[in-house]
Amino acid sequence: MSPSWPRAGPARTCSRAEGLFYEPRNGHGLPWDPMKAIVAPRPIGWISTIDAGGRVNLAPYSYFAMVHNAPPMIAFGSEGLKHSAANARATGEFTFSLATRALFDAMNASSGSQPEGVSEFEDAAIPAAPSRMVRPPRVAGSPAALECRVVHALELQDQDGRPSNGFLTIGQVVGVHIDERCLKDGRFDMVAAGTIARCGYRDYTQVTELFEALRPTDGGAFPPVR
């Protein structure tokens, strides 16, 4: 029987009268850690790298985000110096392929713990496509992919300056691939692409609808973005 965990039902809402405070260093006292469910949904960084010996690795990371726009930069975090982080630090390159609902099973299969040097592309039968600016390949079936060169790679420290065994890799995007079928009126259509994201526990979500909102600095209209 599969394990069960608490899930938010459609009729349940959180009340301000219900309060819980804890300090992470002292533990949360709950059956399951809520942190990843609070900071969610999170985009999935499906990262491809090549090691110093030319062997390819592919793995998904939910500690992933875009951190700068001009020039564009993306970052992924690794708990422990796993293959992707180690390879990116050693060779200075990686690619990101967008994880979608249609590719979920392939993405999930690539999250397994394979021995160093084993290619998840081959192990999970995931077709690869060549990149143009960097050596690591991208996922052929993904509707969007980013080619990156590493600009920062560091081990995170806690508030007392102690090493955390968490490694942050930031890459500058030097090449972008987009499936034209996912472009609508000049915009990348996340709903058409079937973009998915990681939530808490063992939960995921898919982008099925969007809404737009003007910011105060927009001046009452959507200015063109260049």
Side-chain angles (χ1 to χ4, degrees), residues 45 47 61 63-67 73-77 94 168-171:
I47 305 298
Y61 288 82
Y63 293 147
F64 174 81
M66 185 170 183
V67 295
M73 296 184 185
I74 60 176
F76 68 94
F94 66 91
L168 181 67
T169 304
I170 301 177

Side-chain angles (χ1 to χ4, degrees), residues 50-64:
I50 290 181
D51 69 12
R55 299 173 297 185
V56 177
N57 182 267
L58 177 67
Y61 288 82
S62 69
Y63 293 147
F64 174 81

Side-chain angles (χ1 to χ4, degrees), residues 45-50 59 61-68 72-96 136 147-156 164-173:
W46 204 3
I47 305 298
S48 171
T49 57
I50 290 181
Y61 288 82
S62 69
Y63 293 147
F64 174 81
M66 185 170 183
V67 295
H68 198 56
M73 296 184 185
I74 60 176
F76 68 94
S78 175
E79 293 188 318
L81 193 57
K82 297 178 181 177
H83 298 152
S84 300
N87 292 348
R89 289 162 69 95
T91 65
E93 297 177 335
F94 66 91
T95 70
F96 156 79
E147 301 181 14
C148 304
R149 293 199 177 105
V150 176
V151 291
H152 298 286
L154 64 150
E155 182 175 7
L156 300 174
S164 67
N165 196 36
F167 295 86
L168 181 67
T169 304
I170 301 177
Q172 180 173 328
V173 179

Side-chain angles (χ1 to χ4, degrees), residues 6-225:
R7 304 178 67 91
R12 179 175 173 81
T13 59
C14 295
S15 167
R16 290 181 180 271
E18 300 174 1
L20 169 68
F21 174 81
Y22 71 91
E23 296 180 59
R25 63 181 179 177
N26 298 327
H28 47 73
L30 297 169
W32 292 273
D33 187 348
M35 185 62 69
K36 294 179 183 178
I38 295 171
V39 186
R42 300 183 305 281
I44 300 168
W46 204 3
I47 305 298
S48 171
T49 57
I50 290 181
D51 69 12
R55 299 173 297 185
V56 177
N57 182 267
L58 177 67
Y61 288 82
S62 69
Y63 293 147
F64 174 81
M66 185 170 183
V67 295
H68 198 56
N69 184 54
M73 296 184 185
I74 60 176
F76 68 94
S78 175
E79 293 188 318
L81 193 57
K82 297 178 181 177
H83 298 152
S84 300
N87 292 348
R89 289 162 69 95
T91 65
E93 297 177 335
F94 66 91
T95 70
F96 156 79
S97 296
L98 182 68
T100 65
R101 187 65 184 91
L103 293 170
F104 174 82
D105 289 340
M107 182 277 296
N108 196 37
S110 71
S111 69
S113 297
Q114 301 296 342
E116 184 176 0
V118 174
S119 170
E120 287 78 6
F121 279 103
E122 296 180 4
D123 187 68
I126 301 171
S131 297
R132 295 192 182 186
M133 307 291 290
V134 299
R135 289 176 297 166
R138 53 197 169 90
V139 175
S142 176
L146 308 177
E147 301 181 14
C148 304
R149 293 199 177 105
V150 176
V151 291
H152 298 286
L154 64 150
E155 182 175 7
L156 300 174
Q157 297 181 343
D158 67 12
Q159 63 180 351
D160 298 315
R162 294 187 297 256
S164 67
N165 196 36
F167 295 86
L168 181 67
T169 304
I170 301 177
Q172 180 173 328
V173 179
V174 295
V176 180
H177 300 264
I178 300 176
D179 186 331
E180 292 186 359
R181 292 173 295 181
C182 292
L183 291 175
K184 182 177 181 181
D185 300 326
R187 295 185 179 186
F188 184 77
D189 189 336
M190 289 176 281
V191 175
T195 299
I196 58 175
R198 181 69 190 271
C199 296
Y201 315 111
R202 292 293 182 266
D203 297 331
Y204 294 80
T205 189
Q206 178 180 348
V207 178
T208 57
E209 61 179 280
L210 302 170
F211 67 91
E212 290 184 322
L214 292 171
R215 296 179 297 179
T217 53
D218 287 332
F222 288 100
V225 177

